[in-house]
Amino acid sequence: MSNKIILISDDSNFFDFIEHKLELRKSDDLLMYGFDSIPENFHLLENGVLIIDSEKSKEKTLDLLNILKNT
């Protein structure tokens, strides 16, 4: 059974940096989203490990964490 790793960031450099490291874990599904695409993909966030890069998106991160607190 594969695990789901979900990366959320608006920084493409973050994705480039961490994607190569996480792709080594062949048994995991790797999903990457920008903050603006979260509402349309919210159902995918329920069963996975979230990695949030919020260096430039503090308010969006707090909003996301508030939404996810009951999942």
Side-chain angles (χ1 to χ4, degrees):
M1 180 177 176
S2 66
N3 296 310
K4 192 177 344 179
I5 299 174
I6 304 160
L7 304 177
I8 301 171
S9 179
D10 282 340
D11 182 359
S12 62
N13 291 332
F14 172 74
F15 289 141
D16 292 341
F17 171 75
I18 200 164
E19 180 180 13
H20 299 292
K21 296 178 184 329
L22 293 176
E23 283 181 339
L24 297 174
R25 298 177 53 92
K26 300 289 185 200
S27 62
D28 295 331
D29 292 330
L30 180 60
L31 305 170
M32 295 180 282
Y33 299 102
F35 280 95
D36 295 334
S37 65
I38 294 303
E40 64 195 40
N41 297 303
F42 183 75
H43 65 283
L44 298 174
L45 304 178
E46 295 176 355
N47 297 314
V49 175
L50 292 175
I51 299 174
I52 302 172
D53 174 52
S54 61
E55 190 172 314
K56 299 176 185 175
S57 304
K58 182 178 179 182
E59 287 185 29
K60 290 180 181 181
T61 301
L62 293 174
D63 290 344
L64 176 61
L65 292 174
N66 195 28
I67 290 169
L68 294 174
K69 71 181 177 184
N70 293 324
T71 61

